[in-house]
């Protein structure tokens, strides 16, 4: 049985961790280990600890960068840290970030945070259980949250 780590933040304005747990439970029989940290810059070490200390096979790193310039910088730093943690551990850490200004209003932001989390949870299940399905979807313009892009058909 695989072990999946879920790391989320208190900074986010929706409970992304709960959405991930709910979606994963619908699709996979796995041990789920959840941690919550203050913000996205705390996610890299949280994910690394889930992999190294809790033996997670894969981790979802969930967060909401705010809309201010300093939040954008923070998001870039957090992403760099998450990539470094992946390289250090040789495990995937699926970064699920929803920028606060991606939604036109609170309703759309809430929808996006939930739907992007859930669609990436399904990606995690596929990556663990049926990587061949990911290959089938290569180049199909998949987008998590909003509508998929149109494939170019070549
Ligand atoms: C400026 C800033 N912006 C964000 C953000 O947009 N989203 C987020 O989740 N967290 C932010 N933080 C907090 C940091 O990620 C971190 O939690 C603190 O610096 C403590 O390590 C900070 C400090």
């Amino acid at each position: 049985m695989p072990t999946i780590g879920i790391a989320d933040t208190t900074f986010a304005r929706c409970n992304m961790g709960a959405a991930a747990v709910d979606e994963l439970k619908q699709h996979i029989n796995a041990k789920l280990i959840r941690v919550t940290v203050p913000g996205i810059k705390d996610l890299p070490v949280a994910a690394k600890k889930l992999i190294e200390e809790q033996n997670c096979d894969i981790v979802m790193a969930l967060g909401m960068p705010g809309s201010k310039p300093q939040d954008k910088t923070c998001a870039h730093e957090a992403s760099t840290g998450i990539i470094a943690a992946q390289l250090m551990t040789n495990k995937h850490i699926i970064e699920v970030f929803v920028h606060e200004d991606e939604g036109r209003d609170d309703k759309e932001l809430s929808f996006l945070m939930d739907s992007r989390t859930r669609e990436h949870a399904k990606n995690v299940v596929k990556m663990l259980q049926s990587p061949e399905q990911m290959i089938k979807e290569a180049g199909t313009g998949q987008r998590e949250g909003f509508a998929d892009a149109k494939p170019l058909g070549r």
Side-chain angles (χ1 to χ4, degrees):
M1 183 165 70
T3 302
I4 304 173
I6 299 126
D8 70 350
T9 71
T10 56
F11 189 102
R13 295 177 58 203
C14 288
N15 192 335
M16 299 173 82
V21 168
D22 181 64
E23 192 66 31
L24 288 166
K25 278 185 175 169
Q26 292 178 46
H27 298 284
I28 191 168
N29 181 23
K31 182 177 175 189
L32 306 181
I33 303 178
R34 183 176 174 186
V35 294
T36 301
V37 292
I40 50 178
K41 280 203 285 194
D42 311 309
L43 289 172
V45 72
K48 186 167 173 282
K49 282 163 69 73
L50 282 165
I51 292 165
E52 292 183 346
E53 297 174 11
Q54 307 279 347
N55 294 316
C56 287
D57 299 292
I58 192 165
V59 172
M60 295 182 73
L62 310 157
M64 188 208 74
S67 53
K68 296 179 186 153
Q70 59 266 40
D71 298 324
K72 302 287 181 195
T73 304
C74 187
H76 181 259
E77 292 165 346
S79 282
T80 306
I82 288 170
I83 292 164
Q86 293 183 80
L87 295 173
M88 280 181 217
T89 58
N90 217 19
K91 301 271 186 201
H92 286 290
I93 300 168
I94 301 301
E95 179 190 293
V96 186
F97 281 3
V98 178
H99 289 252
E100 193 173 16
D101 51 11
E102 281 188 82
R104 274 172 309 195
D105 51 32
D106 283 359
K107 193 174 164 201
E108 190 173 73
L109 179 64
S110 165
F111 162 81
L112 188 57
M113 292 177 79
D114 188 75
S115 59
R116 184 167 296 160
T117 300
R118 288 177 186 277
E119 288 189 39
H120 271 305
K122 285 186 240 174
N123 282 337
V124 163
V125 171
K126 281 183 239 170
M127 288 169 77
L128 283 171
Q129 285 194 327
S130 50
E132 70 284 355
Q133 182 58 32
M134 293 298 283
I135 295 172
K136 276 188 194 157
E137 292 178 24
T140 56
Q142 299 296 310
R143 297 291 184 275
E144 288 74 22
F146 289 136
D148 293 339
K150 192 166 175 275
L152 299 176
R154 281 177 61 93

